[in-house]
């Protein structure tokens, strides 16, 4: 019996041994499989996380696009018109030049977009060509004033290209710089720059090279005539190793209408007071005209229209706006107030009998600026 029992135990142990041998685990292979599964699981988790992040970013982008974009541009303009005869009130050629510089500074400080120099003495000046004959003579005061205003508005690095030596600019060294936004310094960063197209050969299909007052020339997107003044928008991403920079030609009013920057003024000559209105460069004309006179309504009681696109502020000379009306062959009125939407006294209760035009510009623009800004906000 004992022998028989041992035989059965041995048979049972042998059976279990055979079964163990059949189910033996390859631990190395098992670890590799587990490692591979864990790796796949981590990759799937990472993909789910990235997809979730991408969807969140897409939702935020769509939300931003759905919002109304803030318009940084300034879509209205302010123009100033004044007679060139005010230069005849200066006692010397130096003071004559400095007087023109005062007008340019005042208009720049208050962001005037256009200066119109009209003739109230019948000189019929329509270009800036010609020479000034001298103090106390009938010289082209309008021409000289316009030339000095243009000279000051031009960035310093471009003046040699556009302003050769001229007697009207003999004392330009006395003038204070405007230091306006388009007068960008060499190493100063700016989205826009003024430049002159260079007479430099380019490869077919490539744009012209432009001197923008930088250490490197700028290659624009178009082929333009050499010697042309252009406004260039520089690309944000520039290759620091490249010998040139890249830019796009834009219109002169682009910095104002798109980015809200003041980008200097333009100068226009008008042969008479009526030509100031008749030769307006804007298609819709001036929809707000303001005449300044001590006989006008007090500026304290002034209320501008709720909306306008192009405002014009007109100043008189030594004899006021009446002199311009009297000498204009196209006007049959005697009261200058009938020519304007508003006829304003910008300095009521003045202590001096007379206010010089260069003073009147500063006084009037400072008094009208908050009213213009308020009206522009309402219209926008």
């Amino acid at each position: 019996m004992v022998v028989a029992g041992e035989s059965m135990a041995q048979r049972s142990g042998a059976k279990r041994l055979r079964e163990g041998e059949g189910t033996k685990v390859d631990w190395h292979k098992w670890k590799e499989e587990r490692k591979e599964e864990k790796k796949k699981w981590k990759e799937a988790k990472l993909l789910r996380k990235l997809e979730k992040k991408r969807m969140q970013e897409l939702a935020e982008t769509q939300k931003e696009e759905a919002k109304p974009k803030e318009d940084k541009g300034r879509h209205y303009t302010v123009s100033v018109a004044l007679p060139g005869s005010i230069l005849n009130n200066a006692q010397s050629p130096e003071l004559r030049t400095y007087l023109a510089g005062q007008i340019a500074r005042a208009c720049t400080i208050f962001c005037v977009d256009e200066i119109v120099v009209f003739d109230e003495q019948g000189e019929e000046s329509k270009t800036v060509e010609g020479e000034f004959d001298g103090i106390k003579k009938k010289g082209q005061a309008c021409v000289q004033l316009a030339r000095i205003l243009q000279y000051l508005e031009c960035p310093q690095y471009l003046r040699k290209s556009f302003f050769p030596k001229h007697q009207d600019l003999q004392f330009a060294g006395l003038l204070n710089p405007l230091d306006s936004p388009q007068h960008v310094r060499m190493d100063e960063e700016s989205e826009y720059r003024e430049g002159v197209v260079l007479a430099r050969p380019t490869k077919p299909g490539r744009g012209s090279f432009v001197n923008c007052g930088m250490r490197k020339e700028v290659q624009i997107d178009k082929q333009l005539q050499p010697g042309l003044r252009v406004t260039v928008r520089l690309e944000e991403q520039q290759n620091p190793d490249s010998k040139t920079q890249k830019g796009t030609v834009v219109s002169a009013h682009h910095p104002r209408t798109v980015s809200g920057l003041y980008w200097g003024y333009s100068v226009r000559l008008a042969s008479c007071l009526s030509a100031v209105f008749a030769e307006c460069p804007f298609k819709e004309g001036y929809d707000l005209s303001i005449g300044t006179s001590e006989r006008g309504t007090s500026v304290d009681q002034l209320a501008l229209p709720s909306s306008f696109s192009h405002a014009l502020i007109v100043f008189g000379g030594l004899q006021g706006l009446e002199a311009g009306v009297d000498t204009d062959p196209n006007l049959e009125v005697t009261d200058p107030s009938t020519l304007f939407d508003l006829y304003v006294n910008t300095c009521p209760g003045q202590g001096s009998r007379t206010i010089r035009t260069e003073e009147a510009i500063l006084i009037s623009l400072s008094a009208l600026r908050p009213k213009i800004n308020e009206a522009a906000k309402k219209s926008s």
Side-chain angles (χ1 to χ4, degrees):
M1 294 294 292
V2 174
V3 174
E6 288 177 355
S7 176
M8 291 176 64
Q10 288 173 354
R11 286 197 298 272
S12 176
K15 185 178 179 181
R16 287 196 299 271
L17 182 62
R18 286 195 296 273
E19 289 175 354
E21 287 176 354
T23 59
K24 188 176 180 180
V25 178
D26 187 347
W27 293 105
H28 180 71
K29 185 178 179 181
W30 182 81
K31 285 181 180 179
E32 288 294 327
E33 290 175 352
R34 289 281 293 173
K35 190 175 180 181
E36 191 67 26
E37 289 177 3
K38 193 173 182 181
K39 184 179 178 182
K40 290 180 179 179
W41 179 79
K42 284 184 176 180
E43 288 178 352
K45 185 179 179 182
L46 181 61
L47 287 173
R48 288 194 300 271
K49 188 175 180 181
L50 290 173
E51 182 65 17
K52 185 178 179 181
K53 186 178 180 182
R54 190 184 69 82
M55 294 300 293
Q56 287 177 346
E57 290 177 350
L58 182 62
E60 289 177 1
T61 303
Q62 292 175 346
K63 189 177 179 181
E64 287 294 325
E65 290 177 352
K67 288 182 181 179
K69 293 184 179 180
E70 182 184 357
D71 189 358
K72 297 181 180 179
R74 174 168 65 87
H75 299 284
Y76 69 90
T77 65
V78 178
S79 301
V80 163
L82 70 161
S85 61
I86 62 171
L87 290 193
N88 294 329
N89 199 33
Q91 288 79 22
S92 68
E94 293 89 343
L95 290 176
R96 190 182 180 99
T97 302
Y98 195 79
L99 173 58
Q102 285 180 296
I103 293 168
R105 285 280 303 171
C107 291
T108 300
I109 289 169
F110 289 98
C111 301
V112 171
D113 302 294
E114 180 194 29
I115 303 178
V116 187
V117 181
F118 66 90
D119 178 29
E120 62 174 6
Q121 295 182 344
E123 293 177 358
E124 295 186 355
S125 302
K126 291 187 178 180
T127 68
V128 293
E129 298 301 323
E131 295 186 0
F132 166 60
D133 295 333
I135 195 71
K136 295 181 181 178
K137 294 182 181 179
K138 195 189 173 180
Q140 296 283 329
C142 295
V143 172
Q144 186 183 21
L145 176 56
R147 182 178 279 113
I148 294 173
L149 292 175
Q150 288 179 335
Y151 176 83
L152 280 172
E153 186 275 335
C154 183
Q156 288 88 335
Y157 57 86
L158 296 180
R159 287 176 181 170
K160 286 185 178 179
S161 301
F162 297 106
F163 294 92
K165 287 185 177 180
H166 196 281
Q167 191 173 350
D168 287 352
L169 303 173
Q170 181 181 1
F171 299 103
L174 300 173
L175 298 171
N176 297 315
L178 299 186
D179 205 20
S180 50
Q182 81 272 23
H183 291 194
V184 189
R185 293 164 179 81
M186 179 179 288
D187 296 319
E188 184 179 352
E189 292 186 4
S190 176
E191 183 180 3
Y192 303 94
R193 278 185 176 264
E194 290 293 295
V196 57
V197 180
L198 301 174
R200 178 178 163 184
T202 58
K203 295 180 180 178
R206 298 290 185 88
S208 302
F209 290 97
V210 178
N211 172 23
C212 290
M214 306 169 68
R215 298 188 186 277
K216 296 180 180 180
E217 294 174 356
V218 179
Q219 189 167 28
I220 55 177
D221 57 329
K222 297 177 181 178
Q223 276 282 355
L224 297 177
Q225 182 181 354
L228 190 67
R229 178 175 169 177
V230 292
T231 303
V232 178
R233 184 176 187 177
L234 300 175
E235 294 182 2
E236 293 184 5
Q237 301 296 331
Q238 299 283 354
N239 183 4
D241 299 326
S242 176
K243 294 182 179 180
T244 61
Q245 294 206 30
K246 299 293 183 181
T248 306
V249 174
V250 297
S251 62
H253 58 76
H254 190 278
R256 171 181 60 83
T257 55
V258 175
S259 302
L261 293 173
Y262 175 63
W263 208 246
Y265 54 77
S266 61
V267 181
R268 177 165 66 91
L269 277 167
S271 58
C272 55
L273 182 58
S274 60
V276 173
F277 299 89
E279 298 170 3
C280 175
F282 308 111
K283 290 182 180 179
E284 57 272 31
Y286 301 110
D287 51 0
L288 175 61
S289 58
I290 303 173
T292 59
S293 172
E294 60 181 1
R295 300 174 183 83
T297 306
S298 173
V299 71
D300 301 329
Q301 304 170 6
L302 179 67
L304 294 183
S306 58
S307 65
F308 69 91
S309 298
H310 306 291
L312 172 68
I313 307 170
V314 184
F315 297 90
L318 299 177
Q319 285 84 35
L321 285 171
E322 290 78 7
V325 171
D326 292 340
T327 58
D328 194 325
N330 303 317
L331 296 177
E332 297 179 356
V333 299
T334 55
D335 184 4
S337 63
T338 58
L339 300 175
F340 306 99
D341 299 322
L342 300 168
Y343 203 54
V344 185
N345 180 5
T346 55
C347 188
Q350 64 192 59
S352 175
R353 292 188 182 90
T354 57
I355 296 179
R356 298 171 65 91
T357 304
E358 65 272 21
E359 298 167 341
I361 292 175
L362 282 170
I363 295 168
S364 301
L365 292 177
S366 60
L368 293 172
R369 184 186 63 84
K371 298 180 183 295
I372 290 174
N373 290 343
E374 187 64 28
K377 287 180 182 177
K378 290 179 182 178
S379 62
S380 62

